[in-house]
Amino acid sequence: MSKVLMLQLAWPDNQNLKDIMRRSLHRSLASLRCGALAALFLVGATAASRAAEPALGAWRIRVLSTYINPLAHEGPVFIPETQELFFTSNRLKRPDGSQYVIASMFNVTTGKTRDLGLTESIPMANGAFRLRNGSIVVTMQGDHTRPAGLASYNPATGKVQILTKGFASYQFNSPNDVVQAGDLAIWFTDPQYGYEQGFRPKPTMGNWVWRLDGSGHKQRLMMDGFAKPNGIAFSRDQRYIYVTDSGYIAGNGERDSVLPRTIYRYRVMSTPEGPLATDRITFCVVTKGIPDGLKVDEQDRIWTGTGAGLEVFSKDGTPLAVIPIEGGVSNFALTGDGGAYIMGETKLYRLDS
């Protein structure tokens, strides 16, 4: 005879059922109140966080000067005490086909632009940065007969000094952009654009980023793995360094969709032997063309010149704004008051917020 397991279900009486339902309702309402308060707290915290970061406002763009040749291309450095702006031209050609670059100084007060006469002493000048000693370090791309490297230019005296022109027995490719760290060391990018654009010999080193220490005697390779390292900038606290990779567009203008149009961020780690660039992350990708010049503003927002104009990102890589500039932007100089001087090739712009 088979055994049957019998289950007895004990249902509560009506009064117990009412008590259970009442307690359940109270717990549900309490949970809803807590959830609502938490949501309000999070919204409030987010709003407060956004309020703490100054908003990017409406922009006004003025043309300060117009040129026949593309004089306003790279290396803008604003000198507040003289109200002047240093910058370098795009590649120009002589009648014999050889290429050269003009370094200029624009006077904000008079609106006049003058040739600084650096074409021979800093061959194919490109990116620039103002050093702590007041001089301007300029990337020297070199040509077929003169080496590439770094030079310093003293605006007060006009003196030019070569800081470096190679590593061991190897020549640099065509240094593109440069920045100085808080320890006075100079970091610079060295892509192979010069060879692709026909004014440099075949490369003997890769598309790398270098550091020249504050004494000017020791230099070392800091980063590799780029298609074309281009713009470079530190975060305000010097904990991070950003590098643009503009490999998407080659020196001859050809585009390759698999190559980067990207900003990378590295952590700067201190060691007894000197800093290391570690923990590379893909910080962001731009909306049009390539990221070229790169700057960090007073709120640690990252600005870059692209085919769209100026693109602005928060310090976590969130896109904040695209400020359209006809023809795009190669480089620019932030003014510290929410504005910028913008290189527009045949036009020099002023951006005001």
Side-chain angles (χ1 to χ4, degrees):
M1 183 174 170
S2 63
K3 294 182 179 180
V4 178
L5 180 62
M6 302 295 293
L7 294 178
Q8 182 178 6
L9 299 178
W11 290 96
D13 58 28
N14 289 339
Q15 184 59 43
N16 287 336
L17 182 59
K18 289 179 182 178
D19 291 341
I20 292 170
M21 292 179 66
R22 184 172 60 252
R23 287 194 297 269
S24 177
L25 179 61
H26 287 168
R27 283 194 297 267
S28 298
L29 290 173
S31 297
L32 285 171
R33 284 195 295 270
C34 290
L37 287 171
L40 286 172
F41 174 79
L42 289 173
V43 169
T46 303
S49 175
R50 288 174 181 165
E53 181 176 310
L56 292 166
W59 305 102
R60 184 166 66 97
I61 300 174
R62 295 177 287 140
V63 177
L64 298 180
S65 190
T66 302
Y67 308 110
I68 296 173
N69 293 315
L71 296 185
H73 175 63
E74 272 287 356
V77 174
F78 182 60
I79 307 172
E81 60 267 29
T82 60
Q83 290 293 291
E84 291 182 304
L85 182 72
F86 172 94
F87 53 87
T88 61
S89 75
N90 207 330
R91 295 174 295 130
L92 305 171
K93 284 191 175 181
R94 300 182 179 93
D96 64 0
S98 61
Q99 301 180 51
Y100 68 102
V101 162
I102 293 174
S104 301
M105 193 75 85
F106 173 79
N107 189 298
V108 174
T109 304
T110 65
K112 302 295 184 182
T113 302
R114 59 190 171 96
D115 183 346
L116 293 174
L118 303 178
T119 297
E120 299 302 320
S121 56
I122 310 179
M124 303 301 286
N126 200 66
F129 188 89
R130 196 174 193 201
L131 301 175
R132 296 286 184 87
N133 64 12
S135 292
I136 297 172
V137 60
V138 185
T139 57
M140 180 173 66
Q141 297 183 93
D143 54 28
H144 283 293
T145 60
R146 293 171 294 183
L150 298 178
S152 71
Y153 165 69
N154 187 323
T157 65
K159 181 181 177 181
V160 172
Q161 178 184 0
I162 303 301
L163 302 180
T164 180
K165 54 183 180 180
F167 176 76
S169 61
Y170 300 104
Q171 289 194 31
F172 292 123
N173 300 311
S174 45
N176 190 282
D177 208 354
V178 61
V179 68
Q180 187 176 41
D183 63 0
L184 305 184
I186 297 170
W187 298 53
F188 61 99
T189 60
D190 186 32
Q192 296 174 356
Y193 278 125
Y195 174 68
E196 295 177 355
Q197 293 170 345
F199 63 85
R200 286 289 290 151
K202 186 176 180 179
T204 58
M205 294 196 292
N207 291 278
W208 298 337
V209 176
W210 294 86
R211 177 183 181 267
L212 178 67
D213 78 349
S215 71
H217 298 132
K218 297 179 181 179
Q219 61 186 18
R220 61 176 293 183
L221 172 66
M222 299 303 295
M223 311 172 203
D224 63 4
F226 295 95
K228 292 287 191 302
N230 199 320
I232 186 168
F234 281 98
S235 63
R236 293 180 68 242
D237 60 11
Q238 305 271 305
R239 291 177 58 201
Y240 300 103
I241 188 165
Y242 302 88
V243 181
T244 67
D245 193 334
S246 52
Y248 168 59
I249 301 180
N252 60 10
E254 292 183 358
R255 287 165 163 76
D256 188 335
S257 63
V258 304
L259 293 179
R261 57 197 97 174
T262 308
I263 299 176
Y264 296 105
R265 190 189 75 184
Y266 294 79
R267 186 184 302 276
V268 180
M269 184 175 72
S270 296
T271 75
E273 292 75 34
L276 297 176
T278 67
D279 301 336
R280 165 169 152 162
I281 68 165
T282 299
F283 182 74
C284 65
V285 65
V286 299
T287 65
K288 184 177 180 181
I290 56 172
D292 195 330
L294 187 65
K295 303 291 188 295
V296 178
D297 70 12
E298 295 298 317
Q299 285 76 46
D300 255 336
R301 295 177 297 212
I302 289 76
W303 297 57
T304 186
T306 75
L310 290 175
E311 299 194 31
V312 189
F313 300 85
S314 72
K315 61 184 179 181
D316 65 1
T318 302
L320 297 177
V322 176
I323 305 168
I325 306 292
E326 184 180 0
V329 174
S330 55
N331 216 321
F332 57 98
L334 297 178
T335 59
D337 59 0
Y341 292 101
I342 301 171
M343 304 287 98
E345 301 297 333
T346 57
K347 289 184 173 64
L348 173 63
Y349 298 100
R350 165 74 195 215
L351 174 75
D352 294 296
S353 60

